[in-house]
Amino acid sequence: MPTMESESSIISRAEELKSLANEAFKGHKYSQAIELYSQAIEVNNQNAVYWANRAFAHTKLEEYGSAIHDATKAIEIDPKYSKGYYRRGAAYLAMGKFKDALKDFQQVKRICPNDPDAAKKLKECEKAVMKLKFEEAISVPESQRRSVADSLDYRSIEVEPQYSGARIEGDTVTLDFVKKMIEDFKTQKCLHKRYAFQIVLQTRELLRALPSLVDITVPDNKHFTVCGDVHGQFYDLLHIFELNGLPSEDNPYLFNGDFVDRGSFSLEVILTLFAFKCMCPSAMYLARGNHESRSMNKIYGFEGEVRSKLSETFVELFAEVFCCLPLAHVINKKKFVVHGGLFSVDGVKLSDIKAIDRFCEPPEEGLMCEVLWSDPQPSLGRGPSKRGVGLAFGPDVTKRFLQDNDLDLVVRSHEVKDEGYEIEHDGKLITVFSAPNYCDQMGNKGALIRFEAPELKPNIVTFSAVSHPDVKPMAYANNFLRMFS
C-alpha cells in the first residue's frame, strides 16, 4: 500500500517552493513568484507567510483586490501575524482606501508596539486620513464646482523677456513649436505657463466636442498606430516617435489611456500628446485610462508633479480636461479600442457606450467604470477583479460582445505584459502596453500596434526601454505610498 506523505516532507516541500518564489520575487518576476507561492499554498494552505508573500507579489502587479484577499486569508490563519495586516493595509492604501488602511496599521502597531517602522507608517497613515477628512470637509460638490478653464485667459499672461524656451506665435500650435518644446523637455527645461495653459485649454475644447465613443476612419493603403499605457515615461514616448515617426495626418496615433502617474515625467508626456492634438486633431486620438482621474493622480504622482512644475491651478485644470477624454474608439467599424475592457452584463451596444455621460470623475461601478478598469481572464464567464475594481471577463464574453456589435477585435491596454503585448481570447483580444521596464523595475518590453487598411491586420512592434535622467519613478507620489514602493 502507498504510504501517506509525512507531515515533515509536506512542510519541507512547501518551504522549497516558497524559497523559489522568494528568488523570483527578488528578480522582479512577480507573476512567476505568484505561481510558486500558489504551489506552496496548494501543498500547505495553513501557512500565513505564504498567503502574505503572495499578497505582496500581487501588490507589485497592481492586483490590489487579490492582495487584499490573500492578506485577509493570512490574518484568518494567524490573527497575530503582523505582516498580514501590513500587506492588506498597503493594498488598501494603493487603492486610496486610507481609512481601511489606517485600521490595519493600527493593528500592526498593537502587535508590534516597539517596531519603529510600524510606528512611522501608522503616523503617516494618520496624517493621510486627516488630510482626506479636511479635503472632504472643504470640497465643493461636483455639481456646484465652477470650471477653472472658464476663468482662465492665457493671453493675459506675460512672457518674461529672459524666457528662452519654446513659444507659440498667436493661436496656432505648429510642428516647429512642438519639436522645440520636446527638445526643451529632453534637457528638463519647463514650458512657460502661458503656453502650457494655451495647449491644455485648446485640447479641452477639442475633446469636449467629441462623443464618448469616437469612430475613426483609416483610408485604404493608409495606416494607424495604437499605443498603450505610457505612464509618465517621456523618454520612452520619444523612442516610440523615433521608431514609428512623429504624429501627423499621414501617421496618426491613438494613445489608449494612462498617460500619467508612476513615471516622473508625466507632465512632459501629457503636454507633448496634447500639443500634437492641437497641432493636428486627426494626428492624435486620446482615450481616458483609469489613471486620468483625481483619486489616482493624488496618490500616484501626477498631482504632485504638476504642483511642483507648474501650479495648483493646473492641478484643477488637468482634472477637468481628463473628464473630457473619450472612453473608447472604433477603427473602420471593426476594431474596438478601450483602456480596460468589457462589461458585467451582455448585450452592451456601441450606442450605449456613446451615450455615457463621461464628464465626471469615474464612478465605482457601471459601464464607465468597467471600460476603464476591467481585465480579461482565460476562463469562461466573468469573475471578480484582481484589482478590486471592475471585473474579469472571459473569451465567451469577448466573443458575444464582438458578435453583438459586428466587430472582429478588442484592443485594450491597462496591464503590464512581458513582451509589451499579449494576444488572448482565441485571437479576438490584444493587450498593448507601451511603458517598457515599467517603473524602472519590471524588465518588460513596450509595444505598439500598426493597422494597415483595408485589411487592418495588427502588426505588433516591440521595443526596449531607453535611458532617462536620474529621477526615480514615483518621485512626486504620495509620501506614504512611496514608503511601500
Side-chain angles (χ1 to χ4, degrees):
M1 282 179 66
T3 56
M4 285 184 68
E5 196 172 356
S6 72
E7 191 175 334
S8 63
S9 68
I10 287 171
I11 288 168
S12 67
R13 192 148 63 88
E15 282 296 301
E16 206 175 293
L17 287 162
K18 183 192 87 168
S19 297
L20 290 170
N22 289 350
E23 285 305 307
F25 187 97
K26 282 180 198 157
H28 306 304
K29 295 174 179 170
Y30 302 119
S31 295
Q32 190 183 334
I34 287 168
E35 179 57 39
L36 288 162
Y37 288 132
S38 299
Q39 289 175 29
I41 287 165
E42 277 176 33
V43 175
N44 177 11
N45 68 2
Q46 289 305 300
N47 188 315
V49 175
Y50 304 164
W51 291 96
N53 284 10
R54 192 170 76 174
F56 196 16
H58 279 303
T59 299
K60 288 291 187 180
L61 290 179
E62 301 176 22
E63 297 170 354
Y64 304 123
S66 297
I68 288 163
H69 169 272
D70 282 0
T72 302
K73 188 72 182 170
I75 292 162
E76 285 170 7
I77 292 166
D78 183 356
K80 292 192 172 148
Y81 181 51
S82 64
K83 273 208 176 142
Y85 298 99
Y86 190 96
R87 298 288 177 235
R88 190 170 70 181
Y92 277 135
L93 177 71
M95 293 177 74
K97 296 187 173 182
F98 294 113
K99 291 170 189 173
D100 291 318
L102 179 60
K103 287 177 194 165
D104 278 333
F105 288 113
Q106 285 168 337
Q107 194 61 28
V108 173
K109 185 74 169 67
R110 276 187 213 109
I111 296 167
C112 310
N114 301 317
D115 181 342
D117 185 55
K120 184 181 174 188
K121 287 189 166 64
L122 175 60
K123 193 174 178 185
E124 283 294 326
C125 198
E126 285 169 343
K127 273 163 59 180
V129 171
M130 286 299 291
K131 185 169 181 266
L132 188 71
K133 282 181 178 169
F134 176 71
E135 286 172 353
E136 282 173 359
I138 64 167
S139 70
V140 178
E142 212 164 306
S143 59
Q144 295 171 27
R145 213 173 261 159
R146 292 182 60 195
S147 167
V148 175
D150 291 342
S151 64
L152 291 170
D153 176 13
Y154 65 83
R155 293 179 186 85
S156 67
I157 300 170
E158 281 190 42
V159 180
E160 301 78 8
Q162 63 269 32
Y163 174 72
S164 61
R167 292 170 182 261
I168 303 171
E169 301 301 332
D171 290 338
T172 306
V173 174
T174 63
L175 180 58
D176 285 344
F177 162 78
V178 181
K179 284 180 175 176
K180 167 70 171 138
M181 181 183 76
I182 287 172
E183 287 306 310
D184 288 349
F185 284 163
K186 277 159 81 170
T187 56
Q188 294 184 271
K189 288 182 188 164
C190 288
L191 181 67
H192 195 282
K193 65 181 181 181
R194 176 198 163 111
Y195 305 122
F197 272 130
Q198 183 171 346
I199 288 166
V200 180
L201 289 167
Q202 286 186 6
T203 302
R204 175 177 175 263
E205 290 309 303
L206 291 166
L207 296 175
R208 279 173 80 193
L210 296 171
S212 291
L213 181 146
V214 176
D215 288 299
I216 297 168
T217 302
V218 183
D220 287 358
N221 304 315
K222 298 286 186 181
H223 64 267
F224 189 86
T225 302
V226 178
C227 295
D229 305 34
V230 179
H231 273 301
Q233 296 185 197
F234 175 66
Y235 296 85
D236 293 309
L237 173 68
L238 298 190
H239 186 48
I240 289 171
F241 294 149
E242 284 167 18
L243 290 171
N244 196 61
L246 289 174
S248 68
E249 196 144 5
D250 288 328
N251 190 35
Y253 284 81
L254 163 56
F255 280 83
N256 197 29
D258 282 14
F259 323 120
V260 301
D261 280 340
R262 297 279 187 183
S264 295
F265 304 96
S266 292
L267 183 64
E268 289 81 357
V269 166
I270 198 69
L271 287 176
T272 300
L273 296 177
F274 279 8
F276 276 119
K277 182 72 181 168
C278 294
M279 180 196 85
C280 179
S282 60
M284 179 62 69
Y285 294 86
L286 301 164
R288 193 172 193 173
N290 61 303
H291 275 266
E292 278 70 54
S293 70
R294 279 180 192 271
S295 59
M296 293 288 108
N297 298 163
K298 202 177 282 295
I299 300 170
Y300 289 99
F302 184 58
E303 186 176 298
E305 183 180 344
V306 171
R307 199 175 277 122
S308 170
K309 293 177 180 177
L310 286 170
S311 70
E312 185 67 42
T313 306
F314 273 97
V315 171
E316 289 300 309
L317 182 58
F318 276 114
E320 267 186 38
V321 178
F322 287 166
C323 291
C324 301
L325 287 160
L327 302 175
H329 293 77
V330 175
I331 305 170
N332 286 8
K333 298 187 168 27
K334 284 295 172 188
K335 315 295 176 188
F336 178 71
V337 190
V338 70
H339 179 71
L342 300 182
F343 308 100
S344 55
V345 292
D346 286 336
V348 175
K349 295 295 181 71
L350 296 181
S351 56
D352 298 320
I353 302 165
K354 201 165 268 192
I356 295 171
D357 180 4
R358 71 183 189 278
F359 297 98
C360 60
E361 288 301 312
E364 290 190 14
E365 58 184 16
L367 297 187
M368 182 170 169
C369 170
E370 289 161 7
V371 297
L372 297 176
W373 281 96
S374 294
D375 295 292
Q377 64 179 25
S379 53
L380 296 173
R382 295 176 171 89
S385 166
K386 57 196 174 187
R387 298 174 191 270
V389 189
L391 70 143
F393 59 96
D396 53 329
V397 175
T398 299
K399 186 180 176 184
R400 283 195 299 271
F401 174 77
L402 292 173
Q403 286 173 344
D404 286 348
N405 290 285
D406 195 23
L407 299 162
D408 60 25
L409 182 69
V410 173
V411 177
R412 45 87 63 178
S413 304
H414 194 40
E415 280 184 288
V416 186
K417 298 294 179 185
D418 287 345
E419 292 303 310
Y421 74 96
E422 187 172 358
I423 301 171
E424 299 171 83
H425 291 187
D426 307 315
K428 299 291 185 190
L429 182 143
I430 304 177
T431 297
V432 60
F433 190 85
S434 304
N437 195 24
Y438 180 46
C439 290
D440 285 0
Q441 65 167 344
M442 298 298 280
N444 60 291
K445 288 181 181 169
L448 57 84
I449 306 175
R450 269 174 73 111
F451 291 97
E452 310 271 346
E455 289 89 1
L456 293 184
K457 184 173 170 287
N459 176 26
I460 299 169
V461 178
T462 64
F463 51 91
S464 298
V466 295
S467 61
H468 62 75
D470 188 22
V471 182
K472 298 283 182 283
M474 306 282 279
Y476 301 93
N478 181 295
N479 279 341
F480 189 28
L481 194 66
R482 280 210 302 275
M483 295 166 86
F484 296 87
S485 60

